[in-house]
Amino acid sequence: MDKLELKLPPVAIACLIGLMMWLVARIPLGEQIFPSTIRLELTALFLLLGAVVGLSGVIAFKRHKTTVDPTRPDKASTLVTTGIYQISRNPMYLGLLLLLAAWSCYLSHLLAMLLLIPFVLYMNRFQIRPEERMMEGLFGPQFEIYRRNVRRWL
């Protein structure tokens, strides 16, 4: 299982989960979860939040001139702890989760929504934990203090 660590880009995982959501939404379960009157509003809200949160993370990394390559966290040159990183240690992944939440709202299907859980579990196990090990090695006590003060997701 360790062979999956840092191998698949998170965007690819999000796309795969999104495709799975679309496929399971084809299974008839009765009525949609959200009434059509609020479905599009919820979708737009999560879409906007996901874009803002995710892009804020990318912009902060670019400003600090550190890598945004999720398969090479060992190339990080700076521990970014300001801006959106004061709220979440993983805003780029949180942004992807919010985009998937938008997609699940649009699909308005229970099984599609439940697929948000495997996304979080996969990201925690195969992306975030290995990254955290590397950050601990690169930034030592500075990262440990940051980890104690800022939540992984929200």
Side-chain angles (χ1 to χ4, degrees), residues 54-82:
L55 289 174
S56 294
V58 172
I59 291 167
F61 268 31
K62 293 289 186 184
R63 275 195 192 133
H64 286 86
K65 296 183 171 92
T66 193
T67 184
V68 293
D69 183 352
T71 63
R72 297 302 312 265
D74 57 322
K75 299 286 184 193
S77 59
T78 305
L79 179 63
V80 181
T81 60
T82 58

Side-chain angles (χ1 to χ4, degrees), residues 7-80:
K7 295 294 186 239
L8 301 172
V11 171
I13 299 301
C15 289
L16 179 63
I17 294 287
L19 175 62
M20 292 168 58
M21 288 173 154
W22 180 78
L23 290 171
V24 301
R26 302 290 156 255
I27 300 170
L29 288 181
E31 291 185 31
Q32 293 184 336
I33 293 174
F34 300 111
S36 58
T37 54
I38 64 164
R39 190 178 118 224
L40 292 180
E41 288 85 353
L42 280 174
T43 300
L45 175 66
F46 280 115
L47 188 63
L48 180 63
L49 282 173
V52 168
V53 169
L55 289 174
S56 294
V58 172
I59 291 167
F61 268 31
K62 293 289 186 184
R63 275 195 192 133
H64 286 86
K65 296 183 171 92
T66 193
T67 184
V68 293
D69 183 352
T71 63
R72 297 302 312 265
D74 57 322
K75 299 286 184 193
S77 59
T78 305
L79 179 63
V80 181

Side-chain angles (χ1 to χ4, degrees), residues 116-134:
L116 295 172
I117 296 167
F119 176 77
V120 170
L121 294 174
Y122 180 92
M123 293 303 294
N124 280 338
R125 169 61 183 88
F126 296 106
Q127 190 65 41
I128 295 172
R129 279 196 219 148
E131 284 181 0
E132 288 177 344
R133 282 194 309 269
M134 288 186 185

